[in-house]
């Protein structure tokens, strides 16, 4: 198969590159129309090729993420490369079963008949990724798109340029661009992509850019999935196992230096156990990252100066209990606990996306629930308690994309749980079978028997209405 170079956009050659985007899209449309991607054997073989590609580039990918923002190797494997490999294994194992048309129940009115739902690919998908998990959040949707039989253009984030380049190289070496292509570049490139007509758009990023994507998609009536962000609370009730809660919150918050869409954004703790919990979290911070986390090989850095400055300014909100140290040269912000914070502080007005955990308190659980309900629906919610009634109360009265009871972040690891947001935190969900379904149009087909053709529905209707009424009542 012919290969073309990855498209790199620069403002001076926009016109040429725009033409190249259009040419790749045209090639993908032509390739899709050949019907090759509809074949199960083709899809499996290409997914296996992706498996080989990732295997070959594993170290290079992890090194690239370290270069981009000091992502520790253990995290680069467990949350990026290994995570994607697990998804691929699951998809390859189940793809035949998922691809089969699903028989559904019949309506007696159509007797005799058989009804099926077929999973059809949409065509050419556009997948736009963020920088914080620059490999996983681009590749996992791509696996879903390929599994369902789509062609795809992937657009990695420009804020992690080293990883972007390795992904582009990997895809270029293993796939023809008439099937899968990478387009590298920044905002302008994304805007050029969004001007084109795609059959599906899968976007992961901020709520603000999600709105831009959805507006552009509306122009062509292209269906979209938006995986966005928000302020995800970790709520701790006084009956919780505080040691475990502290350890699991500290892990989920400071993983990737807090630059995780489903990291606990803020802590809502019952007043009676606040002091004990904060001491325990502080203790775990030093257990995990030593007294000086700057020296720890396991703590990432802030992705760029803009985010470093934004996060540093939050340290003026409230009172630093632990951490609070910064180093602009290395874009280091220590794992920080921030006490005495109110909803009026700037840190509570936007998604934090960094290693600063503000602490708010409540007296009764109702108050905590109302604080969450009074704001935009979060992408994740974590509740720590050993009381089943309290767990049921929180689950019933709060709306959020997904979450955990007595843990943080881990729901993303179960591929059988659809992953996505709600309201301002997104729409649509994926992972495992949900990804396959997301990138498939559910085509409903009725096969009507030919050996019987009752005259009831055909004009002239005469006086058949009473009989029809009786039939409908009986059904
Ligand atoms: P972002 O929205 O700034 O960028 C995402 C992508 O959009 C990038 O590829 C970028 O090039 C493009 N983009 C940026 N501005 C644009 C514009 N004006 N027009 C068109 N395209 C534009 O997000 P980010 O900073 O890369 O990632 C952080 C955000 O992503 C956070 O809000 C986080 O919560 C969210 N996120 C969500 C998930 C999830 O699964 N729900 C996962 C990771 C990150």
């Amino acid at each position: 198969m012919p290969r073309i170079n990855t498209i790199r956009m620069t403002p001076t050659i926009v016109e040429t590159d725009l033409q190249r985007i259009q040419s790749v899209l045209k090639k993908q449309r032509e390739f899709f129309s050949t019907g090759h991607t509809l074949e199960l054997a083709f899809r499996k073989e290409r997914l296996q090729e992706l498996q080989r590609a990732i295997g070959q580039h594993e170290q290079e990918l992890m090194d690239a993420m370290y270069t981009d923002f000091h992502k520790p190797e253990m995290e680069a494997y467990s949350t990026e490369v290994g995570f994607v490999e697990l998804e691929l294994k699951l998809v390859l194992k189940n793809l035949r079963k998922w691809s089969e048309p699903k028989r559904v129940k019949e309506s007696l009115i159509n007797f005799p008949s058989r009804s099926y739902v077929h999973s059809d690919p949409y065509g050419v998908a556009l997948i736009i990724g963020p920088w914080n998990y620059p490999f996983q959040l681009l590749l996992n949707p791509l696996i879903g798109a390929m599994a369902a039989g789509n062609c795809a253009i992937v657009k990695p984030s420009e804020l992690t340029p080293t990883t972007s380049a390795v992904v582009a190289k990997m895809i270029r070496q293993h796939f023809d661009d008439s099937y899968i292509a990478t387009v590298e570049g920044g905002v302008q490139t994304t805007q050029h992509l969004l001007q084109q007509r795609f059959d599906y758009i899968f976007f992961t990023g901020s709520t603000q850019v999600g709105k831009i994507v959805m507006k552009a998609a509306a122009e062509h009536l292209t269906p979209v999935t938006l995986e966005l962000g928000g302020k995800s609370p970790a709520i701790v009730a006084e009956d919780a196992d505080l040691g475990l809660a502290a350890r699991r919150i500290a892990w989920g918050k400071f993983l990737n230096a807090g630059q995780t869409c489903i990291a606990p954004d803020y802590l809502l703790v019952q007043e009676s156990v606040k002091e004990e919990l904060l001491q325990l979290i502080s203790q775990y911070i030093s257990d995990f990252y030593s007294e000086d986390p700057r020296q720890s090989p396991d703590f990432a850095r802030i992705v760029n100066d803009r985010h470093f400055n934004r996060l540093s300014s939050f340290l003026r909100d409230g009172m630093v209990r632990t951490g609070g140290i910064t180093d602009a040269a290395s874009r280091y912000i220590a794992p920080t606990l921030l006490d005495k914070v109110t909803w009026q502080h700037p840190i509570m007005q936007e998604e934090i996306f960094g290693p600063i955990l503000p602490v708010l308190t409540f007296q009764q659980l109702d108050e905590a629930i109302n604080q969450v309900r009074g704001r935009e629906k979060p992408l994740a919610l974590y509740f720590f308690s050993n009381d089943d009634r309290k767990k049921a109360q929180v689950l019933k009265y709060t709306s959020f994309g997904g979450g955990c009871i007595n843990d943080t972040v881990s729901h993303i690891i179960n591929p059988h749980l659809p992953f996505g947001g709600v309201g301002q935190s997104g729409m649509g969900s994926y992972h495992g079978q949900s990804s396959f379904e997301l990138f498939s149009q559910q085509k409903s087909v009725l096969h009507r028997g030919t050996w019987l053709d009752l005259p009831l529905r055909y004009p002239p209707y005469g006086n058949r209405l009473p009989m029809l009424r009786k039939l409908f009542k009986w059904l």
Side-chain angles (χ1 to χ4, degrees), residues 72-91:
E73 206 167 57
M74 168 88 173
E75 291 181 14
Y77 182 77
S78 62
T79 67
E80 304 259 15
V81 181
F83 193 92
V84 169
E85 285 173 338
L86 280 180
E87 176 83 355
L88 260 171
K89 258 204 249 175
L90 180 90
V91 171

Side-chain angles (χ1 to χ4, degrees), residues 128-133 137 155-159 185-188 190-191 194 203-210 212-213 226-230 260-262 306-307 351 353 379 412 419-421 425 430:
I128 303 172
W131 57 266
N132 63 329
Y133 288 83
L137 296 174
K155 206 310 260 158
S157 171
E158 69 279 17
L159 299 191
V187 172
Q188 198 174 33
T190 320
Q191 286 166 350
L194 289 172
F203 171 80
T204 307
S206 59
T207 300
Q208 191 194 355
V209 180
I212 296 172
V213 171
L226 300 177
E227 297 283 339
L228 311 176
T260 302
C261 56
I262 49 170
R306 180 170 69 83
H307 283 292
E351 181 182 14
F353 226 57
L379 182 60
I412 199 173
F419 179 82
S425 59
Y430 73 126

Side-chain angles (χ1 to χ4, degrees), residues 106-115 446-449 457:
E106 300 309 326
S107 160
L108 260 186
I109 298 175
N110 284 329
F111 183 81
S113 67
R114 280 175 294 123
S115 297
L446 177 96
H447 294 249
R448 195 73 196 264
R457 67 177 173 174

Side-chain angles (χ1 to χ4, degrees), residues 205-368:
S206 59
T207 300
Q208 191 194 355
V209 180
K211 290 178 186 174
I212 296 172
V213 171
M214 196 160 169
K215 270 192 199 140
E219 203 51 49
H220 302 292
L221 282 185
T222 301
V224 289
T225 294
L226 300 177
E227 297 283 339
L228 311 176
K231 289 186 86 64
S232 302
I235 307 173
V236 182
E238 59 190 358
D239 64 276
D241 178 333
L242 295 182
L244 209 55
R247 181 147 68 160
R248 291 176 178 180
I249 290 169
W251 172 73
K253 177 70 188 184
F254 301 114
L255 176 82
N256 213 34
Q259 302 165 115
T260 302
C261 56
I262 49 170
D265 183 274
Y266 62 98
L267 180 65
L268 257 178
V269 54
Q270 201 151 13
E271 186 70 48
S272 53
V273 292
K274 175 185 148 187
E275 281 309 314
E276 190 181 346
L277 185 73
L278 296 196
Q279 277 170 25
L280 285 161
I281 294 178
S282 300
Q283 185 56 51
Y284 279 115
I285 290 173
S286 52
D287 286 359
F288 291 172
Y289 306 110
S290 81
E291 288 303 320
D292 182 8
R294 200 180 335 202
Q295 309 302 331
S296 166
D298 300 327
F299 188 66
R301 295 297 184 264
I302 305 307
V303 72
N304 61 19
D305 290 341
R306 180 170 69 83
H307 283 292
F308 174 84
N309 292 332
R310 181 182 64 83
L311 289 162
S312 300
S313 75
F314 290 152
L315 296 172
R316 292 194 290 269
D317 301 349
M319 188 187 92
V320 170
R321 284 284 297 250
T322 297
I325 295 162
T326 63
D327 174 42
S330 59
R331 296 193 305 272
Y332 165 80
I333 297 182
T336 299
L337 267 181
L338 205 61
D339 199 359
K340 310 264 186 260
V341 172
T342 69
W343 281 103
Q344 281 65 50
H345 281 115
I347 194 170
M348 295 310 289
Q349 310 292 315
E350 61 181 83
E351 181 182 14
I352 300 168
F353 226 57
I356 308 172
L357 184 65
V359 182
L360 286 92
T361 60
F362 63 91
Q363 301 285 345
Q364 299 299 325
L365 190 55
D366 282 358
E367 277 173 50

Side-chain angles (χ1 to χ4, degrees), residues 64-76:
M65 287 182 260
Y66 188 85
T67 305
D68 280 333
F69 61 113
H70 212 292
K71 192 183 274 257
E73 206 167 57
M74 168 88 173
E75 291 181 14

Side-chain angles (χ1 to χ4, degrees), residues 192-209:
H192 283 130
L193 282 163
L194 289 172
Q195 284 162 10
Q196 313 307 313
R197 181 175 180 166
F198 284 90
D199 301 301
Y200 204 94
I201 299 179
F202 187 104
F203 171 80
T204 307
S206 59
T207 300
Q208 191 194 355
V209 180

